[in-house]
């Protein structure tokens, strides 16, 4: 069984709900704010659907055309696709995989900035994280108000927890730099 990318997992999960065409999948992922969980681009989504069809995880059920719009192919998940989805979700929940995000890399090189510059940039990130938290809180409240069961939006709560933890860590780090508890060595200027 081939390893499923995050986008492939999302496509199969959407098709578990009902058959749909790729553009409808794209719209639904954006409407549900799944673009906060994974990179969603129309081209990569279409490529993913084609790859899943080649793996026999999805199959075309028909095509339709509405007005001057391009012809759209509707897909459904196959039994093999349902099994692959379930197995991938099971193993990905159980097994930790380090994903190599960018922020820890640039954080490990922040010493190349003067302390005042680093603090300024950390403060800007804290502000941005606060805005993201507000957006997530709004989306989560909207899902709860619409009666969407929590298992369908608990990934949003997880992301919120990660962002809040990063914000809180940065606030503490800023305080430590300013109080000189975290000794910041000035960079060497040749």
């Amino acid at each position: 069984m081939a390893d499923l990318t995050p986008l492939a997992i999302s496509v199969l999960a959407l098709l578990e709900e009902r058959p749909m065409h790729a553009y409808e999948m794209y719209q639904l992922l954006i409407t549900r704010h799944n673009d906060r969980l994974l990179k969603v681009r129309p081209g990569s989504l279409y490529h993913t659907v084609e790859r899943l069809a080649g793996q026999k995880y999805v199959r075309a059920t028909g095509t339709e055309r509405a007005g001057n719009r391009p012809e759209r192919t509707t897909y459904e998940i196959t039994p093999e696709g349902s099994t692959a989805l379930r197995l991938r979700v099971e193993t990905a929940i159980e097994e930790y995989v380090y994903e190599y995000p960018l922020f820890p890399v640039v954080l490990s090189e922040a010493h190349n900035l003067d302390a005042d510059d680093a603090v300024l940039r950390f403060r800007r990130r804290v502000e941005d994280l606060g805005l993201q938290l507000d957006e997530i809180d709004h989306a989560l409240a909207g899902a709860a108000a619409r009666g969407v069961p929590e298992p369908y939006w608990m990934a949003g709560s997880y992301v919120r927890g990660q962002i809040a933890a990063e914000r809180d860590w940065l606030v503490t780090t800023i305080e430590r730099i300013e109080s000189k508890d975290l000794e910041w060595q000035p960079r060497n200027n040749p």
Side-chain angles (χ1 to χ4, degrees), residues 175-183:
E175 291 168 355
R176 291 185 63 217
I177 292 170
E178 291 178 334
S179 71
K180 309 290 189 227
D181 177 51
L182 174 55
E183 191 174 325

Side-chain angles (χ1 to χ4, degrees), residues 47-58:
H47 176 73
T48 297
V49 170
E50 289 172 8
R51 196 176 77 252
L52 291 170
Q55 293 170 314
K56 308 287 190 231
Y57 291 163
V58 303

Side-chain angles (χ1 to χ4, degrees), residues 157-188:
S157 295
Y158 171 78
V159 169
R160 191 203 184 288
Q162 284 186 308
I163 292 172
E166 180 180 322
R167 180 207 51 203
D168 296 347
W169 183 88
L170 280 168
V171 167
T172 299
T173 300
I174 290 167
E175 291 168 355
R176 291 185 63 217
I177 292 170
E178 291 178 334
S179 71
K180 309 290 189 227
D181 177 51
L182 174 55
E183 191 174 325
W184 200 269
Q185 300 296 322
R187 68 177 176 193
N188 296 328

Side-chain angles (χ1 to χ4, degrees), residues 10-134:
S10 293
V11 166
L12 291 175
L14 287 172
L15 293 177
E16 280 286 8
E17 294 179 30
R18 69 178 186 281
M20 58 183 84
H21 54 78
Y23 187 68
E24 182 181 8
M25 291 180 223
Y26 173 76
Q27 289 179 316
L28 207 46
L29 289 170
I30 298 300
T31 300
R32 292 178 178 177
H33 303 286
N34 285 42
D35 55 326
R36 305 273 312 203
L37 302 175
L38 61 130
K39 186 180 265 187
V40 181
R41 302 282 187 268
S44 56
L45 191 137
Y46 284 95
H47 176 73
T48 297
V49 170
E50 289 172 8
R51 196 176 77 252
L52 291 170
Q55 293 170 314
K56 308 287 190 231
Y57 291 163
V58 303
R59 67 175 154 250
T61 60
T63 57
E64 62 183 53
R65 180 185 299 270
N68 292 337
R69 293 184 180 160
E71 195 171 77
R72 293 184 173 157
T73 303
T74 300
Y75 293 89
E76 69 181 2
I77 193 167
T78 63
E80 295 82 7
S82 292
T83 299
L85 173 62
R86 189 186 78 254
L87 291 174
R88 183 66 174 119
V89 169
E90 289 171 352
T91 58
I93 286 174
E94 292 174 357
E95 299 169 5
Y96 178 82
V97 175
Y98 194 78
E99 299 181 34
Y100 305 101
L102 175 63
F103 186 61
V105 174
V106 296
L107 190 59
S108 73
E109 298 302 329
H111 64 276
N112 287 292
L113 304 175
D114 292 325
D116 291 342
D117 191 25
V119 166
L120 172 70
R121 293 173 194 290
F122 289 157
R123 285 188 191 286
R124 288 178 182 164
R125 188 173 182 102
V126 166
E127 288 174 24
D128 184 54
L129 293 171
L131 294 172
Q132 289 186 43
L133 288 170
D134 290 344

